[in-house]
Amino acid sequence: MKKTKKTRSMLLVSALCCLTLLGGCSSDHKSSQEPSPTNLDSLQEDAEQTATGEQNGSNNGSLGVFSMQDLAGKSYTQEMFADYDLTMVNIFTTWCSPCINEIPDLQKLSESMKDQNVQVVGIILDGLDRFGREDQEALEKAKLIAERTGASYPFLIPDQNYMNGRLVGIQAVPETFFVDKNGTIVGETYSGSHSLDEWTEIVKQTLKDTAS
């Protein structure tokens, strides 16, 4: 009897672990996405200011001014939001299986929602090491992931300020949020991966809510 209960308990734990892996990964897996302790306090303050809209005198939820590069060295600033009604920002790591598994669906979403003026952008959270230097191993993996998944939307490397602190303190990946053409965060923040159908409905609803 005791053996049966123990076996059931082990099976339950295994099932819960599998469910967790299907949806997302804990960011504790690798410390490369954590900023250097020397600038952590400053970045956390920036994150709080971004959330309250105090940074640079901007509106509530504005991401402020930033500059990042993609894997090919092309620069992207806050101006990348201006030409689209909605931008889906997907934060992922190169070691997270659920993150990688949903990229083909995000590519399809990018293609299917283009006529509704929606763009998809990926951010490689482990693209910098804990000292704020580019992690070449992670970036090479990201290039391979883009190639194998057929992703043509940009994969961006975090800047030294971690997008004005928005990328600090993320507990699980993938994490996804939405930004309007003014660079303001809108709608809900989503943890874990989703199917193409689920993301399509989420994007449509966010567009509707943003327009109203």
Side-chain angles (χ1 to χ4, degrees):
M1 186 67 175
K2 291 182 178 180
K3 184 175 182 181
T4 301
K5 288 183 177 180
K6 184 177 180 180
T7 301
R8 288 177 179 173
S9 298
M10 292 176 66
L11 289 173
L12 179 59
V13 171
S14 297
L16 290 173
C17 289
C18 289
L19 288 173
T20 301
L21 289 173
L22 285 173
C25 302
S26 168
S27 62
D28 292 335
H29 177 88
K30 190 176 181 182
S31 62
S32 63
Q33 70 270 23
E34 292 297 331
S36 170
T38 58
N39 65 350
L40 180 58
D41 291 340
S42 175
L43 291 176
Q44 288 176 333
E45 182 179 350
D46 286 343
E48 292 172 0
Q49 290 176 338
T50 298
T52 58
E54 295 175 357
Q55 182 166 321
N56 296 328
S58 57
N59 295 326
N60 183 43
S62 173
L63 286 171
V65 178
F66 62 85
S67 180
M68 294 187 286
Q69 290 187 336
D70 66 9
L71 293 171
K74 180 180 178 181
S75 294
Y76 288 78
T77 70
Q78 68 282 352
E79 295 299 324
M80 70 179 181
F81 304 123
D83 294 332
Y84 296 89
D85 292 332
L86 192 67
T87 297
M88 177 183 187
V89 180
N90 177 254
I91 305 164
F92 71 97
T93 62
T94 60
W95 45 260
C96 170
S97 295
C99 298
I100 297 168
N101 290 340
E102 78 169 347
I103 288 176
D105 280 344
L106 296 184
Q107 174 60 30
K108 292 176 183 176
L109 182 73
S110 175
E111 296 169 358
S112 65
M113 299 298 291
K114 189 174 296 185
D115 60 347
Q116 297 189 48
N117 214 27
V118 175
Q119 70 170 335
V120 177
V121 173
I123 297 182
I124 313 160
L125 191 58
D126 58 335
L128 297 184
D129 63 21
R130 65 186 304 271
F131 299 105
R133 300 172 301 203
E134 290 189 0
D135 188 321
Q136 294 304 320
E137 181 180 355
L139 297 183
E140 287 302 318
K141 287 181 180 178
K143 291 177 182 178
L144 189 59
I145 290 168
E147 179 183 337
R148 292 184 174 178
T149 60
S152 61
Y153 61 87
F155 283 6
L156 304 184
I157 306 166
D159 58 1
Q160 294 290 321
N161 291 321
Y162 284 80
M163 210 175 196
N164 289 320
R166 175 57 185 80
L167 307 180
V168 175
I170 292 175
Q171 299 299 313
V173 286
E175 179 174 295
T176 304
F177 64 92
F178 295 91
V179 184
D180 67 12
K181 63 174 54 182
N182 298 314
T184 301
I185 298 173
V186 295
E188 301 292 331
T189 296
Y190 297 86
S191 294
S193 59
H194 293 74
S195 68
L196 176 59
D197 289 341
E198 289 171 336
W199 276 130
T200 300
E201 289 305 312
I202 289 171
V203 170
K204 288 181 178 179
Q205 186 60 50
T206 306
L207 272 173
K208 181 179 179 180
D209 293 343
T210 304
S212 61

